Amino acid sequence: MAAPVTSPAPSAAGGLPPPHTRASSAPPSAAAPPAATEHEHVAECAYEYLLAEILQWIERDEKRIAEEARRAAQEVGGGGDGKGGGGDSQSGSDSPSADEAAAAVMAAERSAARIERMGYDVGYRLCERLAQHRPLLGPGSPSPETGASDPAMGGASGGAASGGGAPGNNPIIMGGGGHNTVMDPKTQLEAVKFLCKEFWTEVFRKQIDKLQTNHRGVFVLKDQELKWLRRLPPDEESARVGAIRILAFPCGLIRGALACLGLSGAVVSCDFLADGRTMASCSFNIKVK
């Protein structure tokens, strides 16, 4: 039995088959090659604009909070002010300026604290991702996590443990907070070196220019050109105030990264280099408790 012959489907115009075109004459196998996958990147200036907007938003919000607190205080103490004499009104005329100055200082301090807390959160998470499963000490170094907190006794305890099969000389793994880690000076230095190299390169695309330490828990990190401060004009008081506000964020970054590496009690402060030619030359002082 022969198979039925099927006719081509009629088109919408008069039942005729569609005319041939140049595009349809190409063989079906000659399809366009798939577009190459490209990684999408974000310009570095976008983050600088974002950081500037964050700083301005925090400053406006703190001013709003201070203004609301001032109005609430005036409403509470408004009844007693109207009963005062002329001497009280004269003395009260000088008090608002002093109160406004004190409120401005408190608002600036609260803004810096909020910015530093934001930097702490970002630094902790970023360092946790960068330092995951990386050895802080090389093979053969005593691990404080195994109980060898004394550097002098670390080698003896490690040798005894290696004979019994216990991991006495395992390297410390960075990341995760290091809650059970007792940092000796050598381990602290390795953690700060990781901060100056891998962590700083991830954030600023360059390493710290100079690292100084007294091997007693004090470290000085010098950056000759912090790119977040490159656009500030030198030798201007307003630019210095703005730079101090911006530096609160990298101070939080450093403190969060050190907390992730196990140095949770570190105190970080910043200053400008006296020999720097621009406002971008700054230093970060770290004191490990």
Side-chain angles (χ1 to χ4, degrees), residues 22 27 42 54 105 113 134-135 148 170 202 238 247 266:
R22 293 184 180 180
V42 179
I54 291 175
V105 172
R134 288 198 181 186
N170 290 342
E202 182 70 19
S238 59
L247 287 176

Side-chain angles (χ1 to χ4, degrees), residues 119 122-128 130 134 193-206 250 253-254 256-257:
V122 174
Y124 192 100
R125 296 184 181 187
L126 179 60
C127 186
E128 191 173 21
L130 293 176
R134 288 198 181 186
K193 284 183 178 179
F194 175 84
L195 172 68
C196 296
K197 294 180 180 180
E198 283 80 1
F199 183 83
W200 212 256
T201 301
E202 182 70 19
V203 178
F204 298 104
R205 298 297 183 265
K206 62 184 291 291
L253 286 176
I254 294 175

